[in-house]
Amino acid sequence: MANKHSSGFQEPEKLWNKGYIAILLLSMVNHISSQMITPIVSKYAISIGASITTAAAISGLMSLSALFARPFAGLLSDRINKKAVIAVSGAVTGACMYLYSLSGGVEMMSAVRLLHGAAFSFSTVALLAFNTVFIPRDKLGEGIGWSVVTTTLAAAAGPNIGLQLVDWLGYEACFAASAAGTLLPCMAFLLIPFRHTPGESAGKKSLSVNDFISVQILPYAVLTGLFSCCNGIVNSFLVLIGDERGIEGVGVFFTAYSIIMIVTRPVTGRLYDRRGIAFLLYPCIALASLSMLLLGNAASAWAVALAGALKALGQGSGVPSIQAHCLKRLGRDKAGVVSSTCYMGSDIGNAVGPAMGGVIASCVGYGYMFFAVAAALLVIGWPLVYIKTRYDKKKYGEAA
C-alpha cells in the first residue's frame, strides 16, 4: 500500500508513474530550451556593441543572480504549491529569454540577465522538489538518476539547436523559440494532478537559518562544490590546455562524459538505493580525482576522452546520489531547501574553481592546476564523507 509523507500527499508505489513520466518529459523540453541560448548570449552581447570582456561578464551575471536567489527559492518551494512556483518562475524565465532579443544595449541586457538568473534559480529548485513528490522514497537514487539523464541529453542537444537556429533564422527567432519552449512546459506542469497540503514548515510564523539553508547537509553541499570546481576548471581551461599541447578535438571529453553518464547513471542510482551513500562516494571521489590527474597529463584526444568517462562515473554519479541522500534524510517537506542548498554548493564551486584555477595556472601551469584540484578532492572529500557518515550513523542509528 502507498505511504503518505508528512505533507499529506499519497506516495507512489512505483517509480514509473504518470506524474513522474510527465515531469521527466516536460523537464527535458524545458532544459533543452534553456540550453539553446547558452552558447549565444555572449555572441549576441558582442553583436550589440559589448566588448569580449563585457560579454563574458554579462554571461556570468546569471550564475551570480542565481546564487543569491537559491535560499529564497528553497523557502518558497517548501511553503507554497510547487506547481505555482514552477509556473510563475517559468513565465518570467520565458519572458527574459525573449527580452534578450529586444535588448539594444549592454545595460538592458545585463538587467535581463540578472532577472533571468533569479527566475531560473526558482524554477530549477522547484522542479527538483516537485519531481521528488512522485518518486518512492526507496527509489530516490534511481529516480533522480533518470532526471539527470534527461538533463544531460538536454545539455547535449540544446546548444546545437540554438546555434543552428541562429544560423538559419537569426538571434530573434532563437530567443523566441527558447522562450516558447520554456513557457509552455512550465504551464503544462499545472495540469499534473497534485493537491498541495502545507507541511510542518508552512505554519511557522518565524524563520530560521534552516528555512533558507540546511545546516544539516552543508558538508554534502561542500562536497558538491568540490565536484563543481572540476566543472568550472574543465569548462574554462580544457580548450586552452588542448591548444598548448596540440591536442585536436578536446570536445570529445564532453561526448564521452554524456555517453557514460546516460548509460551508467540509472545503474549507480539503484546502487545508492541498495548500498547507501558512503559505498558510492568514496569511489566517486577517487574517479573524479583520477579524471583531473589524467587531464593534467593528457597528450592525446584518447586521454581526454578517458578523463571525460571517469568524470561521468565520479562526479556524474556522486552529485545526484548526494541530492537523493539529502532528500531522503530531510524528507519531502524540506525538498526545496535541500535542492537550494545543494545547488548553492554547485554555484559556488563553478565560480571559485575557474578563479582559483587561473591563479594556479598562471604560477605553475595548467598541469599542476589539474593536479591541485585532484588533490583537493581526495584530501577534503574523503575525510568529509567519513566524518559526516559516521556522525549520521551515530546520531540517527542508521547505516550510511
Side-chain angles (χ1 to χ4, degrees):
M1 185 174 179
N3 298 319
K4 282 188 177 181
H5 52 71
S6 54
S7 67
F9 185 75
Q10 197 81 3
E11 181 177 303
E13 295 178 338
K14 298 180 179 179
L15 175 61
W16 295 102
N17 56 79
K18 292 180 180 179
Y20 178 72
I21 294 170
I23 290 173
L24 276 188
L25 295 175
L26 292 173
S27 294
M28 186 163 71
V29 174
N30 182 52
H31 284 303
I32 288 174
S33 302
S34 177
Q35 290 293 326
M36 280 168 57
I37 69 166
T38 299
I40 69 170
V41 168
S42 296
K43 287 180 64 176
Y44 182 71
I46 291 171
S47 75
I48 62 173
S51 65
I52 294 175
T53 304
T54 303
I58 290 173
S59 182
L61 285 175
M62 182 175 173
S63 296
L64 181 66
S65 177
L67 173 61
F68 284 101
R70 295 285 187 201
F72 302 98
L75 174 69
L76 205 61
S77 296
D78 286 336
R79 295 209 169 195
I80 69 173
N81 194 325
K82 297 171 181 61
K83 291 202 299 185
V85 178
I86 292 169
V88 173
S89 59
V92 176
T93 302
C96 287
M97 288 176 172
Y98 185 68
L99 284 173
Y100 284 127
S101 64
L102 304 180
S103 299
V106 169
E107 293 81 6
M108 181 177 177
M109 192 168 183
S110 298
V112 173
R113 193 68 173 162
L114 286 169
L115 181 59
H116 184 188
F120 179 77
S121 177
F122 275 84
S123 178
T124 51
V125 168
L127 272 172
L128 180 57
F130 189 47
N131 192 20
T132 63
V133 171
F134 296 90
I135 302 175
R137 190 176 187 274
D138 62 349
K139 297 284 187 181
L140 275 171
E142 184 181 357
I144 291 178
W146 281 109
S147 299
V148 172
V149 167
T150 60
T151 303
T152 303
L153 289 171
N160 291 322
I161 294 172
L163 289 169
Q164 287 294 331
L165 272 176
V166 170
D167 289 341
W168 293 341
L169 302 172
Y171 286 111
E172 186 172 352
C174 180
F175 286 128
S178 182
T182 299
L183 181 60
L184 293 176
C186 287
M187 295 301 105
F189 276 108
L190 294 173
L191 302 177
I192 297 175
F194 171 68
R195 180 177 57 84
H196 171 70
T197 304
E200 295 178 6
S201 61
K204 290 171 56 180
K205 294 182 179 179
S206 60
L207 296 175
S208 66
V209 172
N210 276 309
D211 289 314
F212 295 94
I213 300 171
S214 176
V215 176
Q216 185 177 337
I217 64 169
L218 273 181
Y220 288 119
V222 171
L223 187 54
T224 301
L226 283 173
F227 278 127
S228 292
C229 277
C230 300
N231 268 354
I233 286 176
V234 169
N235 292 338
S236 300
F237 299 105
L238 181 60
V239 173
L240 297 177
I241 202 172
D243 291 342
E244 181 182 78
R245 298 177 182 180
I247 306 172
E248 295 184 2
V250 292
V252 71
F253 178 94
F254 301 104
T255 304
Y257 180 91
S258 298
I259 292 172
I260 298 301
M261 181 82 152
I262 291 167
V263 171
T264 63
R265 183 56 209 137
V267 177
T268 54
R270 288 196 295 271
L271 196 60
Y272 159 73
D273 289 330
R274 293 171 183 171
R275 301 300 299 270
I277 192 68
F279 181 84
L280 264 182
L281 283 184
Y282 288 119
C284 283
I285 292 169
L287 289 167
S289 179
L290 182 57
S291 169
M292 295 299 101
L293 287 174
L294 268 176
L295 282 179
N297 281 310
S300 68
W302 285 107
V304 172
L306 180 57
L310 290 174
K311 185 169 178 286
L313 288 170
Q315 178 179 340
S317 298
V319 172
S321 296
I322 287 172
Q323 292 174 332
H325 182 72
C326 293
L327 285 163
K328 186 178 287 188
R329 176 67 70 196
L330 268 68
R332 287 180 174 84
D333 288 343
K334 286 288 187 179
V337 73
V338 167
S339 304
S340 64
T341 304
C342 290
Y343 277 132
M344 284 178 70
S346 297
D347 292 337
I348 293 170
N350 280 320
V352 170
M356 293 186 64
V359 173
I360 297 171
S362 64
C363 295
V364 292
Y366 294 124
Y368 285 104
M369 175 194 67
F370 281 109
F371 296 161
V373 72
L377 274 168
L378 290 176
V379 172
I380 300 174
W382 273 357
L384 199 61
V385 173
Y386 177 80
I387 293 169
K388 177 59 177 169
T389 53
R390 292 277 293 183
Y391 173 81
D392 284 351
K393 187 174 182 180
K394 182 177 180 181
K395 182 173 181 178
Y396 300 106
E398 300 176 8

